[in-house]
Amino acid sequence: MTGLLLQNTLLKQAEDRVEKTVSPAQRDNYLKIVVAGMKYALDKGPQGILALLKDSKDPVADSVNGAIGIVGVLRRNAQGVMPIEAMVPAAMALMLHALDFAEKMKLIKVTETELDNATQLFMDTILPLLQVPKAKLDESFQQVNDILRDPDKMAQYKGYQNGASKLG
C-alpha cells in the first residue's frame, strides 16, 4: 500500500520497508490480506475493531494484538490457505495502520521508541503462533535492525525507491 493512507512519516517508512520484504510472487496475496484486514477492521464503523482503540488503555499493545487477531480470523476463514510469507508482513502493515489511527485519535505519539516497542511485541506475539524458534526470530530481527541502523544500506534502499518511482 506504500503508505498511501498513513500520515505519520515514520510509519510510512516502516510500511515501505515491510513491503520491500514481500516477494513478487506473494505481492498479490499480501495486498489481498491488507485490504481484507482493513475492511474487517473498519467494518461496523464506530462499533468496529479499529474504532475500539479509542477506549484503549494500551493503544500500542492493542494495535499489535488487533492486527494479529484480524489476520488470524482471515486465515481461519481462508481455511489455512493463506501463505505465511504474505500473512506476516500484512499483519505488520495492519499494525502500522492501527498505530497511525491511534495517533490520529491523539491516543499516542508514534516515535521510534513506540515503533520499536510495537515491533518487538509484534514479533514476540506472532512467532509463537507460527511456531518459529525464538533464536531464528532474534537472528532475523537483528538483521532488519542492522539494515535500519546502517546509513549506507538505508541510502541504498532510498536510492532503489527513487529509481523505482521514476520507472512507474
Side-chain angles (χ1 to χ4, degrees):
M1 306 292 283
T2 59
L4 292 176
L5 303 174
L6 296 171
Q7 289 184 355
N8 180 302
T9 304
L10 183 63
L11 294 173
K12 284 181 185 181
Q13 292 170 348
E15 186 178 42
D16 288 343
R17 288 189 300 269
V18 167
E19 289 186 350
K20 190 171 190 240
T21 68
V22 179
S23 73
Q26 291 299 326
R27 178 91 176 141
D28 286 345
N29 288 324
Y30 164 82
L31 291 172
K32 288 176 190 175
I33 297 165
V34 172
V35 170
M38 291 177 78
K39 181 178 178 189
Y40 187 89
L42 294 168
D43 191 38
K44 300 180 185 170
Q47 308 308 317
I49 292 173
L50 191 59
L52 293 176
L53 274 175
K54 71 182 181 301
D55 300 321
S56 175
K57 302 280 187 247
D58 187 349
V60 172
D62 289 342
S63 294
V64 170
N65 293 319
I68 292 171
I70 287 170
V71 171
V73 168
L74 295 175
R75 186 166 196 230
R76 278 190 297 283
N77 290 344
Q79 301 175 334
V81 296
M82 184 182 290
I84 289 175
E85 299 86 356
M87 182 180 72
V88 173
M92 176 67 83
L94 292 171
M95 177 198 77
L96 296 171
H97 283 272
L99 291 171
D100 193 61
F101 179 79
E103 185 172 78
K104 288 175 189 171
M105 297 286 298
K106 300 190 184 323
L107 301 173
I108 57 172
K109 174 68 178 150
V110 179
T111 64
E112 283 192 37
T113 301
E114 295 291 329
L115 183 55
D116 286 347
N117 291 341
T119 302
Q120 186 64 53
L121 179 59
F122 178 87
M123 298 307 276
D124 289 346
T125 304
I126 203 165
L127 288 180
L129 297 174
L130 300 174
Q131 300 177 343
V132 175
K134 178 99 168 97
K136 181 66 175 167
L137 174 64
D138 289 343
E139 177 185 329
S140 297
F141 191 67
Q142 187 58 49
Q143 288 173 346
V144 170
N145 274 332
D146 290 347
I147 291 169
L148 295 176
R149 306 286 184 238
D150 184 331
D152 292 334
K153 288 181 181 173
M154 285 306 294
Q156 182 181 22
Y157 168 70
K158 288 177 183 175
Y160 166 78
Q161 237 183 351
N162 291 337
S165 66
K166 291 175 186 173
L167 293 175

